[in-house]
Amino acid sequence: MGVNTKKRRYITGFDGIRTLAVLGVILYHLFPYNIQGGYLGVPIFFVLSGYLITDILNEEIEKYGKVHVWEFYQRRMRRLYPALVAMVIGTSAYITLFQRDMLVHIRRTIIANLLYVYNWVQVGQGQSYFDRFGAQSPFTHLWSLSIEGQFYFFWPLILTVLWVLLRKKQPIFDVIFVAAFVSALMMAVLYRQGQDPSRIYFGTDTRMFAILLGAALSVIWPSKSLKERLSSQARWFLDAAGICALLLIVILFFKMPGESDLTYHGGMFFFTLLSAVLVATVVHPGADLNRIMSNPVFSWVGKRSYGIYLYQFPVMIFYETRVANVAAHPVLHSLVEIALIIGISHLSYVYLELPLQHFDYRRTGEVISEFFQRNSRYGWRRLWVCAGVLLSVLALVGAIVQPSSASNSSAQQLKKVIESNQRKVASGNAREQKKAATKQSAAQSSQVQSSSADTAHSKQQSQQSEELTDRQKQQAQNLNVTAVGDSVMADGAVKLQGIFPRMYVDAQVGRQPRDAIGILQGLAQNGKLADTVLLSLGTNGPFSDDELDQIMAAVGKRQVFWINTHVPTRRWQNQVNDSLKAAASRYHNLKIIDWYDYSNRHPEWFYADNVHPNEYGLNYYSSFIAKEMLSSSK
């Protein structure tokens, strides 16, 4: 390999690509059901990282015949570690002071992030990336930095071995591309329909293909070897390819949900190929995409995109914890959060990332000595250091005193109630299914509890149904109901069955509306779907008109009661309730039970999350739903 001493050019369009990627991610986390493919900004970052790092390493191998591995590690650490450490310490300190229920496993979380293995900790803990309602960690998004960190550690060594063994670009490209394809294939093979895909989403083995595709591109498309002058035909071809790739990327930001079968069966791989095409056309000096993706705004955001990505989740989670009703003004709150993220990221970039990236760490002792001098030239800037030390101490305290389990008594109480309810419901459902084998189809979906449970239900009924008339109580005793819902229904299932003994309940924590489609279809096909159906869906996210139509098609002509949502801590509350209101005008057999309006002025009815009715509120929840159903049942 000949030595090429040509100076490396700065590709301004890459800042535009970074802006596109971080914009997708931010909007996805703010509006996950509107920008449902925004998470695909991460593969764009991966492709760009794979290309740039491999391009730099190939130049070094070409010039020196080897990679100066330790110097490479130092450069990466200077660039990435200061902001990461600041974010981890600052977030941990905030948790220690204000949200101690998040301290569970904080020590392991800190260590795993500093060692870039946090994605595997998430896999081991069974964390979900797609649970929009459950308690979210402000560190969840750091899985991608762990994958990149692992790449930075191993790739210089692997690439050096490839050059030593294969020596030519084409076979090296072939090996890297095949490895990328195997990674994408593993994603498809490990994916299981109907299961949370977070294991695949977090795994290095199933996500590395994006970085490897960028690396493969850099082998055959090195930035220093591309011609600045092209024929008009070649130039138009590159421009057309780049613009098409860019448009498709934007479209997929809106059209490719993170829990779709297609996403993991080649969709994400296809998207990553589009990202590679975009990078290839932007990097080429003979094409026009670099100019299109370059402007002062993209340059400013792109340079701060790392910090924006780092600080986004802590800002969102901490802000929304302090705001009681995000759903009331979702756009306004989103703008406030974006402003906070950008402001913090700018401060981090100017006062932390840039200075420490170029700091001569051999002068550390000298700087510390001068720092403590009375007339130090650092002056007021020493306050920043003192603040950093204080935050570090708080983070250390949190790591030392971390509880062994969640300390939020309200959340723990709710969890126990739901688990207890699910055991009782499962027992009753199994008993009813066994009894249904010897009864008429009209009784196949009824719910019969054991004698002890019946006694408990009769006691509950006298307490809960006091607002019902004697006729309504008798009507409720004989009404066959199939209930399908999420955690709110799981919370109130036993209370509802105290009023409706013949109610069959299928309720799960974290259930999305689309998950109910297959459940209802299965119950209908097996003759287990009662003529009266009760739905409680929308707590964990909105649904499309098509999904709602599929739910109603599965139900058929049966009477449907759909409980709307009271979830003020999430932006989609009004979207769900408006969609249900519109659907009721299209389906004559659909009645909306307006739990939101009935409960909205009664925070004392709810647990601390202001979503799930507490023991006191469940009396109102169950009796209100019963009255609404009985007043309209056929």
Side-chain angles (χ1 to χ4, degrees):
M1 294 180 290
V3 175
N4 190 342
T5 59
K6 185 178 179 180
K7 185 178 179 180
R8 183 177 184 80
R9 66 187 177 96
Y10 183 78
I11 303 167
T12 55
F14 281 174
D15 284 331
I17 294 179
R18 293 186 184 99
T19 299
L20 174 68
V22 79
L23 183 64
V25 173
I26 292 290
L27 292 179
Y28 171 71
H29 288 149
L30 289 173
F31 305 102
Y33 300 98
N34 301 99
I35 317 296
Q36 57 185 336
Y39 67 93
L40 293 167
V42 174
I44 298 177
F45 278 126
F46 281 172
V47 171
L48 196 56
S49 293
Y51 181 88
L52 284 170
I53 294 303
T54 306
D55 199 44
I56 292 170
L57 293 175
N58 281 336
E59 287 186 25
E60 191 168 344
I61 292 172
E62 183 179 4
K63 185 174 182 179
Y64 301 109
K66 63 178 181 179
V67 173
H68 295 89
V69 176
W70 180 242
E71 292 180 8
F72 172 81
Y73 290 159
Q74 287 182 316
R75 291 196 300 270
R76 288 291 85 199
M77 293 278 284
R78 288 170 182 266
R79 173 66 185 94
L80 302 176
Y81 229 55
L84 174 63
V85 172
M87 177 268 178
V88 170
I89 289 177
T91 300
S92 301
Y94 183 93
I95 290 172
T96 302
L97 286 175
F98 303 111
Q99 292 192 227
R100 297 180 67 84
D101 55 302
M102 290 186 177
L103 280 177
V104 180
H105 305 309
I106 190 69
R107 185 163 55 242
R108 178 166 55 188
T109 297
I110 293 173
I111 294 172
N113 276 300
L114 297 182
L115 295 178
Y116 287 119
V117 294
Y118 184 56
N119 64 314
W120 288 116
V121 170
Q122 291 171 295
V123 170
Q125 292 178 339
Q127 290 186 20
S128 174
Y129 186 77
F130 301 99
D131 182 359
R132 305 295 172 209
F133 184 78
Q136 292 182 300
S137 167
F139 302 100
T140 298
H141 63 307
L142 298 185
W143 67 272
S144 63
L145 299 186
S146 289
I147 290 180
E148 289 208 34
Q150 294 159 35
F151 170 73
Y152 297 146
F153 184 79
F154 290 107
W155 190 239
L157 306 175
I158 294 173
L159 187 63
T160 299
V161 171
L162 290 176
W163 277 110
V164 169
L165 295 179
L166 302 177
R167 295 184 175 274
K168 295 183 179 180
K169 292 182 178 181
Q170 188 60 52
I172 293 175
F173 168 84
D174 293 341
V175 169
I176 299 174
F177 187 85
V178 168
F181 182 79
V182 169
S183 174
L185 186 62
M186 289 181 66
M187 170 179 281
V189 170
L190 292 176
Y191 177 78
R192 294 291 182 270
Q193 186 176 14
Q195 295 183 7
D196 190 311
S198 296
R199 153 64 185 94
I200 301 167
Y201 194 87
F202 289 140
T204 306
D205 51 349
T206 51
R207 298 304 302 271
M208 187 56 72
F209 65 84
I211 295 180
L212 292 177
L213 283 178
L217 175 66
S218 73
V219 173
I220 60 170
W221 200 265
S223 62
K224 288 175 63 174
S225 302
L226 301 174
K227 298 179 180 179
E228 295 185 12
R229 295 182 178 274
L230 292 175
S231 65
S232 59
Q233 184 178 5
R235 177 182 172 185
W236 280 109
F237 176 80
L238 284 177
D239 288 347
I243 291 173
C244 287
L246 178 60
L247 290 176
L248 285 172
I249 285 171
V250 173
I251 291 172
L252 290 176
F253 273 178
F254 291 89
K255 297 295 185 180
M256 187 179 286
E259 295 174 273
S260 165
D261 295 355
L262 178 62
T263 298
Y264 300 97
H265 287 153
M268 195 179 296
F269 186 72
F270 173 71
F271 179 90
T272 306
L273 289 174
L274 291 176
S275 302
V277 171
L278 180 62
V279 169
T281 53
V282 168
V283 78
H284 202 295
D288 296 304
L289 263 294
N290 184 62
R291 178 173 53 82
I292 293 173
M293 298 297 290
S294 300
N295 61 60
V297 174
F298 283 0
S299 177
W300 194 92
V301 175
K303 287 179 171 61
R304 291 156 180 80
S305 59
Y306 176 58
I308 292 173
Y309 184 86
L310 269 178
Y311 296 109
Q312 53 163 327
F313 238 49
V315 169
M316 291 177 188
I317 290 173
F318 296 151
Y319 177 85
E320 292 174 18
T321 301
R322 298 296 172 186
V323 177
N325 196 348
V326 174
H329 304 285
V331 175
L332 174 62
H333 289 303
S334 296
L335 292 175
V336 173
E337 290 177 49
I338 290 173
L340 289 172
I341 293 167
I342 291 177
I344 294 171
S345 302
H346 175 67
L347 293 175
S348 173
Y349 179 74
V350 173
Y351 296 108
L352 183 69
E353 297 171 50
L354 282 180
L356 291 183
Q357 183 178 354
H358 301 290
F359 178 69
D360 184 359
Y361 285 88
R362 293 172 296 183
R363 296 183 57 247
T364 301
E366 176 186 337
V367 170
I368 293 175
S369 176
E370 185 177 353
F371 177 84
F372 287 103
Q373 292 178 10
R374 185 172 184 178
N375 296 320
S376 172
R377 63 188 176 94
Y378 293 105
W380 64 269
R381 285 179 291 179
R382 290 183 291 185
L383 295 175
W384 289 97
V385 177
C386 292
V389 171
L390 177 60
L391 292 175
S392 299
V393 171
L394 288 171
L396 181 62
V397 169
I400 292 174
V401 303
Q402 68 168 20
S404 57
S405 60
S407 59
N408 188 325
S409 59
S410 178
Q412 288 298 97
Q413 183 181 356
L414 173 61
K415 181 179 178 181
K416 291 178 180 178
V417 167
I418 290 177
E419 290 175 349
S420 175
N421 287 355
Q422 288 179 321
R423 286 193 296 270
K424 292 177 182 178
V425 167
S427 175
N429 287 347
R431 190 180 303 278
E432 177 55 29
Q433 289 173 357
K434 182 178 180 180
K435 192 172 183 179
T438 60
K439 286 190 173 185
Q440 297 296 325
S441 59
Q444 287 181 330
S445 61
S446 65
Q447 179 76 23
V448 180
Q449 300 291 331
S450 64
S451 58
S452 60
D454 284 334
T455 303
H457 281 167
S458 64
K459 291 179 179 179
Q460 291 169 351
Q461 185 175 336
S462 64
Q463 180 182 14
Q464 297 166 17
S465 307
E466 56 187 7
E467 297 184 19
L468 302 179
T469 66
D470 291 338
R471 182 178 179 181
Q472 287 176 322
K473 294 176 183 178
Q474 185 60 41
Q475 187 182 1
Q477 286 283 321
N478 299 320
L479 185 63
N480 292 313
V481 182
T482 299
V484 176
D486 49 35
S487 58
V488 175
M489 179 171 283
D491 177 28
V494 173
K495 293 282 188 179
L496 285 171
Q497 287 177 332
I499 299 174
F500 299 96
R502 293 178 179 271
M503 176 180 284
Y504 176 94
V505 178
D506 186 330
Q508 292 293 330
V509 175
R511 176 169 287 163
Q512 296 285 350
R514 61 176 170 271
D515 299 333
I517 298 171
I519 295 170
L520 292 167
Q521 289 173 340
L523 290 169
Q525 291 170 2
N526 294 323
K528 298 179 180 179
L529 192 60
D531 290 336
T532 300
V533 177
L534 177 65
L535 301 178
S536 175
L537 301 163
T539 302
N540 301 296
F543 41 82
S544 65
D545 289 340
D546 179 63
E547 288 170 337
L548 187 142
D549 291 340
Q550 291 184 62
I551 289 173
M552 294 304 296
V555 172
K557 296 182 179 180
R558 298 171 177 85
Q559 177 66 56
V560 181
F561 297 93
W562 197 318
I563 309 167
N564 69 6
T565 61
H566 180 277
V567 54
T569 56
R570 296 295 184 266
R571 292 176 174 81
W572 56 76
Q573 172 192 267
N574 296 347
Q575 180 181 346
V576 168
N577 294 343
D578 290 344
S579 295
L580 289 176
K581 184 177 180 180
S585 64
R586 304 199 311 268
Y587 293 97
H588 70 278
N589 61 328
L590 173 62
K591 175 179 172 57
I592 307 305
I593 299 177
D594 197 353
W595 168 243
Y596 167 78
D597 184 67
Y598 182 67
S599 65
N600 194 38
R601 290 168 294 280
H602 296 281
E604 72 277 7
W605 291 359
F606 297 94
Y607 286 101
D609 63 8
N610 203 20
V611 175
H612 295 86
N614 54 31
E615 188 68 22
Y616 175 66
L618 283 175
N619 294 319
Y620 293 94
Y621 173 83
S622 57
S623 61
F624 174 70
I625 290 170
K627 288 194 296 181
E628 291 290 297
M629 292 177 64
L630 295 171
S631 64
S632 304
S633 294
K634 298 177 181 178

